[in-house]
Amino acid sequence: GCVTLARGVVRYHGLQGKPRVLAQETQSIARTPNTLLVSSRQQVQAFTLAGRHRNRWRAPAGVTALTRVGPWIVLGFGDGGLELLPTRPGQTRPRFSFESTPASQVMRLRAGPRNTLLAGFASGDFGLWSLDNGARLEHGRVHGAVIHLRQVGARLVAASGLGQHRVVDLAPYLLPRCALLRKVWAKVPVIWEKGVPR
């Protein structure tokens, strides 16, 4: 089957029978590998890809994009804000804020490598943020709103509605920590610390 969103109504169209309404007053939807996420009426609902209800969580209004990354549902808002929504009992919201997000509607969200988040905005800005502390790790810009954001192998591809695209190398984020440190040390063997080379 397939899912449609029209005039705020999400419908599941199976191979047989009439379409079934899953949610109304919907603000945004997202598909993860095995789940459909729907944001509506100050809540996020999870459905199987066959349209069966799995779970729901309270969420703020105004969600323009969402995705799931590990134990979190990441919410994006019209003002460019990003927020982590806990999905497990006893899980608490982190105390950090995502740094340097543009004041522009969040258009696309995707899981990135190693506990990171890929986000694209209506301003054309896009980037990679850490889910551990909210730090912005990568940033780029295309002309027009970001409508396509995807990790292909070790590359991030961002494309706008006006046809411009950019590619960012994510290879350093895919390396094991020790291999990455060896590469850094090969290029920068010495650093100054408290006036002494190390």
Side-chain angles (χ1 to χ4, degrees), residues 7 10 28 32 49 59 63 74 76 84 104 130 136 139 142 154 172:
R7 295 186 178 142
V10 178
S28 58
T32 63
L49 297 183
V63 174
V74 185
L84 297 179
S104 177
S130 168
R136 186 176 73 181
H139 175 258
V142 291

Side-chain angles (χ1 to χ4, degrees), residues 42 48 76 103 167 171 189:
Q42 295 189 312
T48 67
V167 177

Side-chain angles (χ1 to χ4, degrees), residues 11-25:
R11 290 182 175 88
Y12 175 77
H13 304 264
L15 297 177
Q16 298 175 349
K18 292 183 178 181
R20 192 162 32 98
V21 174
L22 300 183
Q24 298 186 38
E25 298 178 34

Side-chain angles (χ1 to χ4, degrees), residues 117-141:
L117 172 72
L118 301 166
F121 299 82
S123 61
D125 292 284
F126 65 91
L128 180 73
W129 279 264
S130 168
L131 292 178
D132 295 325
N133 57 20
R136 186 176 73 181
L137 306 172
E138 294 287 345
H139 175 258
R141 189 169 197 167

Side-chain angles (χ1 to χ4, degrees), residues 5-115:
L5 170 59
R7 295 186 178 142
V9 179
V10 178
R11 290 182 175 88
Y12 175 77
H13 304 264
L15 297 177
Q16 298 175 349
K18 292 183 178 181
R20 192 162 32 98
V21 174
L22 300 183
Q24 298 186 38
E25 298 178 34
T26 300
Q27 300 163 321
S28 58
I29 62 175
R31 182 183 183 272
T32 63
N34 56 7
T35 307
L36 175 70
L37 297 173
V38 177
S39 169
S40 58
R41 295 181 182 166
Q42 295 189 312
Q43 66 180 352
V44 172
Q45 297 183 78
F47 297 88
T48 67
L49 297 183
R52 287 187 290 280
H53 190 267
R54 291 178 68 183
N55 214 331
R56 82 177 70 225
W57 304 272
R58 286 193 54 74
V63 174
T64 59
L66 72 164
T67 193
R68 183 156 193 156
V69 183
W72 304 104
I73 292 178
V74 185
L75 307 175
F77 297 91
D79 63 359
L82 297 170
E83 190 174 310
L84 297 179
L85 179 67
T87 61
R88 296 178 180 164
Q91 188 181 9
T92 58
R93 292 180 190 264
R95 296 177 186 256
F96 63 79
S97 296
F98 287 88
E99 68 178 36
S100 303
T101 60
S104 177
Q105 179 179 330
V106 181
M107 300 292 290
R108 295 287 182 267
L109 293 173
R110 294 186 69 92
R114 292 190 158 204
N115 206 35

